[in-house]
Amino acid sequence: MNRYFLGTPASGAWQWKDAYEAVEVAQILYLRHLGIRILSQQPQVVVQQLEELTAFCPTHTRRSEESVNLQQFSTPLPLAYLVAKAGFIQATDLVLEPSAGTGLLAQMAKLHSASLMLNELAPDRSKILRRLFPGTPLFSVNAEQINDYLVGKTQPSVVLMNPPFSASPKINSRNPDATKSHINSALQRLADGGRLVTITANWFSPNNPIWRETFVRWHSEARVLMSVGVNGKVYSKHGTTIDTRITVIDKVPADNPGNIPCIPETLDLPELLALIEQLPQRSSWERSEIKATAKAKVVQLPKRIIVAQPETVFSLPDDVVVLEYEVIEWTASEGLKDTLYETYRPQRIRIKDALPHPSLLCESAALALVSPPAPTYKPHLPQNILTQGLLSEAQLESVIYAGQAHCEFLSGSYIVDDSWDNVTVAANSSENAVKFRRGWFLGDGTGAGKGRQCAGIILDNWCQERRKAIWVSKSSALIEDARRDWCALGGTERDIIDLSNIKLGDPIPFTQGILFCTYSTLRSQKNGKSRLKQIVEWAGKDFEGAIAFDECHSMGNAMAQEGKLGMVAASQQGIVGLRLQNALPSARVIYVSATGATKVSNLSYANRLGLWQTGDFPFTSREDFVESIEGGGIAAMEVVARDLKALGLYLVTSVRKKTIAF
C-alpha cells in the first residue's frame, strides 16, 4: 500500500480500511480463479480450505469512523460459504443481497451461476461492487426500506444478508430495531416459496423475550427453519469476537406457528455445517415467473459503466428547442434596501413559463448593485426542461451566461509548449498560435443547485452535437451526485464515464460521454504515463466541449507565493488544472465554487476569466494580479467579483435561511 500510494497511512496517503477491503477483493478474485472446482469438493474440505485462506489475511485492528458508524463487518469467507449453502442456491435463482459490502456473499452466490441484485449504501463499497460485478443491478439505498425502493414486481428467490446489527443511517445513537427492519423489508420483497438466510447478532434470537414477538409474527406468515448461534472466533480476523447467529426462513406458511426451532448455543463451523446439511430442500416456487421477472428487471435497471462497452447511450427527448427570453432594463435603484442581502431574481432576463427556484435565493447587497450585461446567447435544451421545471429560472440564467461567455475568446494569441506549462504571447499570424476561449464562474452557495447547473450547461452543449465533456471534482463519491443531476435532466448513468475504471495509459474507449475524474486522479502519473495526457488524447486537440471544474478551490495556490516562512510551492492540483486548460484552448471552461472569490489564491488557476494579460483588467500577469489584489484585501476581492459580474463572467447566489426568534 505504501508503494502504490507513494506514502504511509500516517501521512494520509491511504487508510487501513482501504487495505482491508483490497484484501477482501483479492479473496473474491481467488474464488473466481478456483471457480466451480471449489464447489465440487466435500463441504468439510471447503470449509477447512477457506479457514486456511482467511488465516493468511491481516487482522482488522484499525477501524475507520465510517466502519464504526455503519457497522461494516464483512462476512468471513467460511461463514459466507455456509450461508450460501443454507440458501440451496441454483442457477435459476435471482439472489438479492441488501447490504452487499465488498461482495463476499454475492460471490458465493455467483459461484452457483445465480443472477444477482445488489444494494450497498456506502459509496466506496458501491464502487468496488461496480468493478467486481459489472452489469449487475446495483442500488445505493438504505436497506431498511429495500422493499419500498425496488420498483415493479421484481422478487428475488433467495436473499442472503448480513445487515448492520444496530446502526441506521443518520441516527447517531444505537438503534436495536435496525436488524428487524432490514429482515422485515427483505422478507417482504422475497418471492413466495423463496428462502432468506441472514447473519445477525446472537441476541437477535427467538428465545430472547425482547424479540420473541417479532419471530412469532414472521413465523405466522413464513417458516423459520433454523436459528443457531455462531462462535465469535469466526470473526476474529475482522477485528471482533462477538457471537453471531444464522437464521433461515422460507416464505411458505408454517405448519406449527407456535413452534419456532432455536438452538441457543453457539457452534463452531463444522457443527454448523452438519446442521445446515440437515435443512429441508427449498420449497417449490414459480421459477419461470421469477426468472422472467429477473430478466426484465436487469434490462430496466440503470446500467453502470463497463469499460468493455465503448459506446454510450443518450436518451434525451428529440424535441430540442432554442430557449427564448426577454431582455429587460435594470437600474440600481429598483427594490434595493438597507440590508446585507437582497432577494435574488435574474436582473436582465425574464423567461416565459420558467419556474422560480424552489428555495428563496438571495445575493449580497454589494453585488446586487451591479447588473450583468444584456445577454444575446440562446441555449439549446429539450423542451421538457422548461415545461417540467427541471431547471429553475435562476439556473437557466446560469446556462445562458455561461454560453454567452463561451462564445467569446480572450484577446491575444499565445504559444503553448509541449509540457502545457509555458504560455507565451505571440503574433496572431504565428504558426501554432492559439486563442483561449473565455471561461465562466459559478459561485452559488449550498442549496442553489450548482451540480444541476453544471449538468444544464453540459446538456446545452450536448444538444449542439458537442458530445464530449469533462467533469472534475474533489471526491470520487461525488460521481453519484453528478449522475443524479445528469439523470434528472433526462440523461442516463451510462453517459457518466468514471475515469478510475480505466487503466492508466490505456486509450479511453468511449466515443462520447461525460468523463468524470477527481483532482487527485487528474494529477496522477506513473512510468511516463499520466491521466492528464490520457484525457487530452481522448478529448482531441480541437476539443470544444465543456470542462466543469467542480469545487475548483481545490486548485487554489496554482502559483508559488511568498508565505510567512518563505516561498510556498505551487500546488500540484493547481498546476495540473492549468495544464488541462492550456492543452485544450477551445474548451468551454466552467469554474464552480462557493468560496472562489474569498481568497486571491483561489483565483490563480482561473486563467480563462481574462483577469490578467488580456486588457480586460489592468494586470499584466498572474503574479501582478495576485500581488495587487492581496494588497487590497477583501475589499479588492469584492471589487473583482463585482467587475466579473458586470462582464457577465460571474454569478453567485445563496439560499436564504429562515430564522425563528424565541
Side-chain angles (χ1 to χ4, degrees):
M1 295 290 284
N2 287 344
R3 284 199 304 271
Y4 184 84
F5 287 99
L6 305 177
T8 65
S11 67
W14 57 275
Q15 300 182 58
W16 278 97
K17 181 176 183 290
D18 301 327
Y20 300 144
E21 291 181 344
V23 172
E24 291 175 8
V25 170
Q27 294 177 55
I28 291 173
L29 297 178
Y30 181 67
L31 286 178
R32 291 182 179 177
H33 171 70
L34 295 176
I36 196 66
R37 288 176 293 166
I38 192 171
L39 299 180
S40 62
Q41 303 179 86
Q42 291 294 323
Q44 296 86 346
V45 176
V46 177
V47 171
Q48 182 181 353
Q49 289 181 348
L50 294 179
E51 285 184 303
E52 291 172 354
L53 176 61
T54 305
F56 285 114
C57 301
T59 303
H60 298 195
T61 55
R62 300 172 177 88
R63 296 184 59 75
S64 69
E65 184 177 348
E66 181 187 52
S67 297
V68 173
N69 291 339
L70 297 180
Q71 294 185 349
Q72 293 177 332
F73 288 94
S74 298
T75 310
L77 269 188
L79 190 60
Y81 169 74
L82 294 180
V83 168
K85 188 170 183 60
F88 283 76
I89 299 171
Q90 305 166 44
T92 54
D93 280 319
L94 172 62
V95 179
L96 167 66
E97 189 180 354
S99 302
T102 55
L104 290 165
L105 266 176
Q107 182 56 44
M108 285 298 178
K110 196 70 176 175
L111 288 176
H112 293 81
S113 302
S115 300
L116 297 178
M117 188 161 59
L118 307 177
N119 178 71
E120 174 54 46
L121 187 61
D124 54 344
R125 292 190 159 192
S126 292
K127 186 176 180 180
I128 290 173
L129 293 172
R130 280 197 297 273
R131 294 291 300 274
L132 286 173
F133 303 96
T136 298
L138 175 61
F139 299 89
S140 298
V141 300
N142 180 8
E144 292 175 79
Q145 291 90 38
I146 193 70
N147 182 51
D148 300 323
Y149 280 112
L150 295 190
V151 296
K153 297 182 179 179
T154 301
Q155 291 184 290
S157 52
V158 178
V159 175
L160 305 180
M161 58 192 302
N162 180 10
F165 295 167
S166 57
S168 295
K170 300 181 181 179
I171 297 180
N172 295 329
S173 59
R174 185 174 178 271
N175 178 21
D177 287 331
T179 297
K180 180 186 73 172
S181 299
H182 279 273
I183 298 175
N184 190 56
S185 189
L187 194 57
Q188 291 180 58
R189 179 49 41 186
L190 183 65
D192 291 338
R195 175 167 292 185
L196 181 148
V197 187
T198 181
I199 300 171
T200 67
N202 191 39
W203 44 257
F204 192 77
S205 164
N207 282 0
N208 187 335
I210 298 175
W211 304 110
R212 175 70 182 178
E213 184 179 343
T214 298
F215 279 90
V216 169
R217 186 174 69 254
W218 287 340
H219 199 62
S220 64
E221 302 171 357
R223 181 188 299 166
V224 179
L225 300 178
M226 183 179 76
S227 178
V228 57
V230 183
N231 194 309
K233 67 181 182 181
V234 173
Y235 266 93
S236 59
K237 280 291 181 178
H238 288 256
T240 183
T241 55
I242 184 175
D243 291 338
T244 54
R245 176 165 290 271
I246 288 182
T247 302
V248 182
I249 305 174
D250 272 0
K251 197 170 180 181
V252 296
D255 298 331
N256 187 353
N259 182 21
I260 304 177
C262 178
I263 299 175
E265 295 83 5
T266 57
L267 307 182
D268 294 331
L269 293 184
E271 299 171 305
L272 187 59
L273 172 61
L275 274 180
I276 289 174
E277 290 182 320
Q278 298 175 33
L279 282 172
Q281 292 288 330
R282 294 251 303 278
S283 304
S284 60
W285 47 281
E286 297 293 333
R287 289 186 186 160
S288 60
E289 179 184 341
I290 291 179
K291 187 175 180 181
T293 307
K295 181 178 180 182
K297 189 61 181 181
V298 171
V299 173
Q300 293 171 4
L301 284 173
K303 295 189 176 181
R304 302 287 176 168
I305 297 301
I306 305 170
V307 175
Q309 299 177 355
E311 293 298 331
T312 54
V313 178
F314 193 74
S315 57
L316 285 172
D318 295 328
D319 55 340
V320 174
V321 297
V322 177
L323 182 66
E324 299 291 342
Y325 53 86
E326 176 190 0
V327 177
I328 61 174
E329 294 298 324
W330 182 88
T331 57
S333 60
E334 291 184 1
L336 293 178
K337 305 179 181 66
D338 186 19
T339 58
L340 292 176
Y341 293 95
E342 298 287 343
T343 300
Y344 183 82
R345 190 184 179 188
Q347 294 167 289
R348 298 303 306 272
I349 61 173
R350 292 292 181 265
I351 306 171
K352 185 180 179 182
D353 299 326
L355 298 179
H357 197 74
S359 302
L360 187 62
L361 298 178
C362 61
E363 182 182 32
S364 72
L367 281 177
L369 289 168
V370 179
S371 169
T376 57
Y377 176 79
K378 295 183 178 179
H380 292 61
L381 296 170
Q383 193 168 11
N384 68 326
I385 296 294
L386 196 63
T387 58
Q388 297 179 17
L390 302 181
L391 289 173
S392 68
E393 185 181 41
Q395 291 171 331
L396 287 168
E397 180 190 31
S398 296
V399 178
I400 292 169
Y401 276 104
Q404 181 79 22
H406 292 156
C407 288
E408 303 171 0
F409 284 82
L410 301 178
S411 60
S413 297
Y414 304 88
I415 298 290
V416 181
D417 70 355
D418 293 338
S419 68
W420 303 320
D421 278 327
N422 301 311
V423 179
T424 55
V425 178
N428 292 336
S429 58
S430 298
E431 186 179 0
N432 298 325
V434 298
K435 284 184 170 291
F436 289 107
R437 189 182 297 275
R438 193 180 296 278
W440 186 76
F441 204 115
L442 175 62
D444 285 357
T446 303
K450 295 191 291 295
R452 185 72 65 92
Q453 293 173 77
C454 279
I457 295 168
I458 293 173
L459 175 58
D460 173 30
N461 284 277
W462 196 292
C463 291
Q464 298 183 61
E465 302 302 321
R466 292 185 282 271
R467 298 292 177 91
K468 284 184 178 181
I470 301 168
W471 193 319
V472 190
S473 195
K474 68 175 183 179
S475 168
S476 58
L478 292 176
I479 190 172
E480 297 302 331
D481 293 347
R483 285 180 174 139
R484 176 201 64 204
D485 292 322
W486 180 247
C487 292
L489 299 185
T492 68
E493 291 193 359
R494 286 192 64 188
D495 298 322
I496 309 287
I497 306 165
D498 189 349
L499 182 61
S500 64
N501 286 342
I502 302 172
K503 186 178 179 181
L504 176 63
D506 286 356
I508 299 173
F510 298 88
T511 58
Q512 62 184 41
I514 303 168
L515 190 65
F516 182 95
C517 71
T518 63
Y519 291 103
S520 57
T521 300
L522 186 63
R523 73 169 189 260
S524 61
Q525 54 185 342
K526 189 176 182 181
N527 299 329
K529 302 174 183 178
S530 73
R531 288 294 191 185
L532 177 61
K533 184 178 179 181
Q534 187 182 31
I535 293 171
V536 172
E537 289 177 350
W538 173 75
K541 63 178 182 179
D542 298 324
F543 175 74
E544 294 186 345
I547 301 179
F549 288 108
D550 188 19
E551 306 291 351
C552 59
H553 53 267
S554 298
M555 298 188 293
N557 303 313
M559 54 170 282
Q561 290 180 269
E562 183 72 33
K564 294 181 179 179
L565 301 177
M567 291 298 294
V568 178
S571 72
Q572 289 301 310
Q573 290 184 174
I575 291 173
V576 77
L578 285 171
R579 287 174 181 164
L580 180 59
Q581 296 176 70
N582 293 337
L584 303 173
S586 297
R588 290 165 160 80
V589 175
I590 315 149
Y591 305 106
V592 185
S593 174
T595 58
T598 55
K599 293 171 58 178
V600 66
S601 61
N602 277 358
L603 285 177
S604 58
Y605 54 82
N607 58 355
R608 294 294 186 91
L609 296 180
L611 290 168
W612 51 83
Q613 209 171 10
T614 63
D616 293 334
F617 288 83
F619 305 108
T620 58
S621 65
R622 178 187 290 106
E623 292 74 16
D624 180 26
F625 168 75
V626 172
E627 183 180 350
S628 301
I629 299 303
E630 274 190 334
I634 192 66
M637 283 298 295
E638 186 174 282
V639 171
V640 171
R642 293 177 62 183
D643 287 349
L644 285 173
K645 181 183 176 183
L647 291 171
L649 304 179
Y650 181 58
L651 284 178
V652 53
T653 62
S654 300
V655 174
R656 185 187 293 274
K657 295 179 173 60
K658 296 180 179 180
T659 57
I660 301 175
F662 292 93

